[in-house]
Amino acid sequence: MNPILVVDDDAGIRELISDTLADEGYVVVSAPDGAAALVMLEGWQPSLILLDLLMPLMDGDEFLRRYRELPGVHVPVVVFSASGRNRPGRASAQVEADAFLAKPFDLDDLLGLVTRFAPMPASSGLPAP
């Protein structure tokens, strides 16, 4: 499974999400803004993108617009922001995201969305060599 890409300008949130997902067995790569994330996506594709909407340099809206313009298959994108608390459906529709998570979010809600869009491969049940 490819890593999950976390894009947020808040280092504390990036670390919290990365640590939480790593504890669940996921590999996580992070970027501090949309511009850095686009550079990372050259020649590489994650299994899921977790994207903050409000960031400097390139915000989530602009990142998502540019990402959707890239050729090839696009992975699911879950956006999160404090700005859309009252209208999560509208906020995710405006940026063509697959799901929206309002900040502050519950880690169980985050894990539920990650499991939905990037499920862990089933274990074979065999012991590791």
Side-chain angles (χ1 to χ4, degrees), residues 32-91:
D33 58 65
L38 280 177
V39 169
M40 292 174 74
L41 290 172
E42 294 175 7
W44 172 78
Q45 187 170 37
S47 58
L48 173 66
I49 299 172
L50 301 175
L51 176 68
D52 186 22
L53 288 180
L54 301 176
M55 298 179 288
L57 300 179
M58 180 186 294
D59 65 16
D61 293 321
E62 181 66 15
F63 166 83
L64 196 50
R65 184 185 66 75
R66 290 187 187 190
Y67 174 67
R68 297 287 189 213
E69 290 174 352
L70 293 174
V73 176
H74 298 102
V75 301
V77 178
V78 174
V79 297
F80 44 87
S81 180
S83 68
R85 273 187 222 168
N86 299 327
R87 297 174 291 174
R90 180 179 167 139

